[in-house]
Amino acid sequence: MAHDRNPQAEQMGDESMARNLAHQAQAIWPQEQRLFERYGLAGELRILDLGCGTGEITRRLAQRYPQATLLGIDILEANLARARAGDTAGDRIRYAQGDAFALSCGDAEFDLVTCRHMSQAVPDFAQVLAEITRVLKPGGWLHLLSEDYAMLHFPAPEPQAFDPDRFWNQNVIAFLQGMGCDGRIGRHTPALLAQAGYSDIAMDYIVVDTLRVPRATFAGILGAWRDGYVEPLAAAAGRDPAAVRADFERMLAAIRTPPQYAVWHVPVASARRPGA
């Protein structure tokens, strides 16, 4: 069955997604940045940030690798305009519109490819992985943050009235399945990498919770999802948008209100293309 390769274009291009990416970077990057140490990369590298969005992480990568040149690719020109407006690295970063399923880059061009918050948003991610493998140098590293929406956990004081686990499974994961996307791709990523022939596969988890991350930052992530996704989630589930919004508000209240605890486990896979 054929699927639209960018089925969430409207949501990804919405202003709420720019807010979401900013909050996610604030919550995730402080823990994530240490993972890059295992790659042992330095010097005049070529780095591809695929699905770069507004450039939040592209800019941080430029700081992490001060001699590298970076290419940020996104399918949405509106995101790239925001990325260019925030660029502080001069000519070391170039942003370009592109299709992750058919990259215009040459073979074996990059020492490091990062792909974050994208794999769950496109159908048939194995095809994108094949393109990543093509443009990655033998021995080069792939850094892949793949979300898994069954890894968000909130208090359920009255599960008969509202069960947050059921919300993510019956609303969000079902919504993604309806457009050919995998809302549980985080847990499926190591197998995909092994099937594609990668070596040195590792899986780490960034813990975004109400103890490690400021509550306002965590709430900013969920609030942006609410603002961008209430209508499509309601349509996919056959629910009243007001009811879906109310579910988000219950989870936001848990994040904002001490001592209640909420957590999002964010899978980050890394692997090396063989052939060095």
Side-chain angles (χ1 to χ4, degrees), residues 67-78:
Q67 294 178 275
T69 56
L70 301 94
L71 173 61
I73 290 180
D74 200 89
I75 198 168
L76 297 177
E77 186 57 47

Side-chain angles (χ1 to χ4, degrees), residues 46-53 55 58-59 62 68-74 77 80-81 83-84 87-98 103-106 109-110:
R46 287 276 292 152
I47 299 174
L48 170 63
D49 188 13
L50 183 59
C52 66
T58 320
R59 294 188 289 275
T69 56
L70 301 94
L71 173 61
I73 290 180
D74 200 89
E77 186 57 47
L80 294 171
R84 293 185 185 105
D87 186 12
T88 58
D91 59 4
R92 288 201 299 119
I93 299 178
R94 181 171 68 88
Y95 294 103
Q97 188 174 28
L103 294 170
S104 60
C105 309
E109 189 172 333
F110 298 99

Side-chain angles (χ1 to χ4, degrees), residues 66-246:
Q67 294 178 275
T69 56
L70 301 94
L71 173 61
I73 290 180
D74 200 89
I75 198 168
L76 297 177
E77 186 57 47
N79 282 341
L80 294 171
R82 291 187 176 103
R84 293 185 185 105
D87 186 12
T88 58
D91 59 4
R92 288 201 299 119
I93 299 178
R94 181 171 68 88
Y95 294 103
Q97 188 174 28
D99 180 356
F101 290 86
L103 294 170
S104 60
C105 309
D107 294 351
E109 189 172 333
F110 298 99
D111 303 281
L112 171 66
V113 175
T114 63
C115 184
R116 305 172 70 266
H117 302 293
M118 192 188 85
S119 56
Q120 79 287 341
V122 298
D124 305 315
F125 182 70
Q127 294 185 35
V128 174
L129 182 57
E131 272 295 273
I132 291 172
T133 305
R134 180 183 66 80
V135 303
L136 191 58
K137 291 179 180 179
W141 285 93
L142 170 58
H143 180 94
L144 182 57
L145 189 157
S146 291
E147 295 178 14
D148 189 316
Y149 293 107
M151 294 186 182
L152 288 113
H153 303 288
F154 296 83
E158 298 180 59
Q160 297 304 317
F162 172 63
D163 185 338
D165 295 334
R166 189 178 302 126
F167 173 84
W168 295 100
N169 281 283
Q170 295 184 356
N171 293 267
V172 180
I173 291 175
F175 163 69
L176 292 169
Q177 286 175 336
M179 58 183 68
C181 300
D182 183 359
R184 297 185 181 93
I185 197 166
R187 72 191 68 182
H188 300 150
T189 297
L192 285 172
L193 293 171
Q195 290 161 7
Y198 280 78
S199 63
D200 300 304
I201 298 169
M203 190 72 151
D204 293 275
Y205 290 88
I206 306 301
V207 181
V208 176
D209 69 357
T210 48
L211 297 177
R212 293 169 177 81
V213 172
R215 288 179 181 267
T217 301
F218 194 173
I221 296 171
L222 199 73
W225 279 339
R226 173 202 60 197
D227 295 344
Y229 279 91
V230 161
E231 295 291 337
L233 287 178
R239 300 182 65 201
D240 183 342
V244 176
R245 181 175 293 275

